[in-house]
Structures are given as C-alpha cells and as structure tokens.
Amino acid sequence: MPSSRARLGFAVTILAAFAVAGCATDPEPAPAPASAPSETPAPLAVSVPMPDLGPPPPRPELTDEQRETLRLERLDSAWERVVTHHPGAVRPDLVFAGYLEPEDRTNALTTCFTEKGVQFGLGPDAEGKVTIEEVSTSTEEEAVGAYLCEGRYPVRTLGPPSDAQLSWMYDYLTQFLVPCYEANGIENPPAPPRADFIASWGRLIWFPDMRSLPMDSPEAIAIREACPPPA
C-alpha cells in the first residue's frame, strides 16, 4: 500500500492533469488545486497493551505500634545512608510532624527543602498530582537537611510487601513496563529470576526506569503517560 505522502502526490498529479484538460476544452478558469492537508505530528511516546494481571494482592494492615517501629527503623536507615557518604555528620534532633495528606506533604517538603538548600524537583505522580521528585544532595549540609525534612514529613509507613505482592509487581514490570519502555527506545538491564527479585526486595537489585532521561522533559512526561502504573 502506498504511503500517505505518495497518495497525496498522486492526487496532486491527477488534479494537475484535469486542470490542463480543462484549459484545452473549457474557456472558464480551472479550479484552484486543493491545499495539502497538514500532517499530524508524531506522538512523543507510544504504549503497549496492558496484560491482564488480575487484581493486586492486598497489603496487610499494620498496628499503630508496628507502624511506629517501622518509621523509626526507616529513620535509622536514612541516617546510615547519610553517614556512609559523610562520616563526620552529626545527627540532628527532629520533630515528627505526623503523616500528612499528599498535597500537604508536598507543600511542607517544598518549604523545608528550600530552607535547607536541598535541590529537588516537582513532577506528577500516578494520579497526576504534583509530588516531590529527584531529591539531590552533594554536600553534607544538604544531606543532613534532606534527612531532617524527610524525617519530619515522612510518607505514611506501610509494612513490607508480601511475596504475593512482589510476584504481582514482577509480572507488571516484566510484562508491561519493560516492553513499554523498550517501545520508546529505552533499554534496561535484564530482569533477575522472580525468586531473586522477591528475595532481594529490601536491596532493590533491579527496577526498570527511564535511564538518563530527565524526569521533567516532555519525552519523559509523555512516556509516563504511555506507560502508566497499574490502575
């Protein structure tokens, strides 16, 4: 089948031939040639069909005591990451401000990061709401500031995912997200075996991403829309 451009050229040629014939047999002026239709710009990203993964397994609910224990454990882990890069850092006291609604947390972190000189970006989450992205720290002062802000306004603590949840996530990543990224020219390292992915979740040995594509670029935004998280 000829391309749309070839068919357009063919149509223009026919119109020109009719115009010449009209001049030879009809004293009336030939009709003006039809203007070429404007081309639709190519999309910035393409999608692939979402496989039927079934409903995701539910996450077990935590008691208040379990939630608080987990929050403190994650706070300790966050400080360990700071001192790994800045051994001389002094851990500051911080006041836990409670679990805020997503919009309120974004506003609070924006103010806190700005006051502490921490570099960060803003971008849409899975529901299109503005959220914090790409927190960057290159100095000890910035790392301590980020720890202080994120510890003061943490994400609501959830329990670790179950093996069933991780297995479902593995299917989503390998059967949809990776192929969708590949359809947009983004290659990720091969996925580990399912059992290794589940066993190493705390270390997160593999998780596909958009590689070096800036998160706020038009291409990245289009790819996030074309390759959405599961509904």
Side-chain angles (χ1 to χ4, degrees), residues 99-116:
Y99 298 114
L100 305 181
E101 292 300 317
E103 183 177 354
D104 295 334
R105 179 176 183 269
T106 296
N107 292 336
L109 282 175
T110 296
T111 300
C112 189
F113 284 152
T114 301
E115 291 175 350
K116 301 298 181 183

Side-chain angles (χ1 to χ4, degrees), residues 8 19-20 31 35 45 66 81 83 85 107 112 115 127 136 139 145 153 162 174 180 208-209 212 228:
L8 177 59
V20 171
S35 59
Q66 289 172 327
R81 290 193 293 272
V83 296
H85 298 284
N107 292 336
C112 189
E115 291 175 350
E127 299 178 351
S136 175
T139 67
Y153 308 109
S162 66
T174 57
C180 194
D209 58 28
S212 59

Side-chain angles (χ1 to χ4, degrees), residues 6-81:
R7 290 197 299 271
L8 177 59
F10 188 56
V12 171
T13 300
I14 293 176
L15 287 173
F18 273 117
V20 171
C23 289
T25 60
D26 194 334
E28 294 183 2
S35 59
S38 59
E39 294 185 1
T40 302
L44 291 177
V46 297
S47 190
V48 298
M50 174 74 80
D52 183 8
L53 303 175
R59 182 188 291 265
E61 286 293 327
L62 296 177
T63 65
D64 290 344
E65 183 178 355
Q66 289 172 327
R67 192 182 306 278
E68 179 63 7
T69 298
L70 193 55
R71 181 186 73 83
L72 295 175
E73 288 176 353
R74 292 181 176 177
L75 198 60
D76 289 340
S77 296
W79 182 251
E80 288 176 5
R81 290 193 293 272

Side-chain angles (χ1 to χ4, degrees), residues 141-165:
E141 183 178 5
E142 291 172 351
V144 173
Y147 162 81
L148 194 63
C149 294
E150 292 176 333
R152 185 178 298 164
Y153 308 109
V155 175
R156 183 176 295 277
T157 309
L158 299 173
S162 66
D163 287 357
Q165 287 178 307

Side-chain angles (χ1 to χ4, degrees), residues 58-229:
R59 182 188 291 265
E61 286 293 327
L62 296 177
T63 65
D64 290 344
E65 183 178 355
Q66 289 172 327
R67 192 182 306 278
E68 179 63 7
T69 298
L70 193 55
R71 181 186 73 83
L72 295 175
E73 288 176 353
R74 292 181 176 177
L75 198 60
D76 289 340
S77 296
W79 182 251
E80 288 176 5
R81 290 193 293 272
V82 172
V83 296
T84 296
H85 298 284
H86 308 284
V90 177
R91 188 172 185 173
D93 294 329
L94 63 81
V95 177
F96 171 47
Y99 298 114
L100 305 181
E101 292 300 317
E103 183 177 354
D104 295 334
R105 179 176 183 269
T106 296
N107 292 336
L109 282 175
T110 296
T111 300
C112 189
F113 284 152
T114 301
E115 291 175 350
K116 301 298 181 183
V118 177
Q119 299 298 312
F120 67 98
L122 295 172
D125 63 11
E127 299 178 351
K129 298 178 181 179
V130 177
T131 187
I132 299 291
E133 289 184 346
E134 295 186 6
V135 177
S136 175
T137 60
S138 58
T139 67
E140 178 181 315
E141 183 178 5
E142 291 172 351
V144 173
Y147 162 81
L148 194 63
C149 294
E150 292 176 333
R152 185 178 298 164
Y153 308 109
V155 175
R156 183 176 295 277
T157 309
L158 299 173
S162 66
D163 287 357
Q165 287 178 307
L166 292 174
S167 182
W168 189 93
M169 182 185 298
Y170 183 87
D171 288 338
Y172 161 76
L173 296 175
T174 57
Q175 297 179 30
F176 174 73
L177 192 60
V178 167
C180 194
Y181 281 167
E182 288 177 347
N184 289 282
I186 298 174
E187 298 288 338
N188 275 274
R194 183 188 302 269
D196 293 349
F197 176 79
I198 293 173
S200 64
W201 174 249
R203 303 189 306 278
L204 203 62
I205 62 172
W206 176 83
F207 202 92
D209 58 28
M210 287 188 279
R211 315 312 293 167
S212 59
L213 193 64
M215 294 294 291
D216 58 350
S217 67
E219 293 82 0
I221 294 172
I223 291 173
R224 281 200 298 271
E225 294 175 352
C227 308

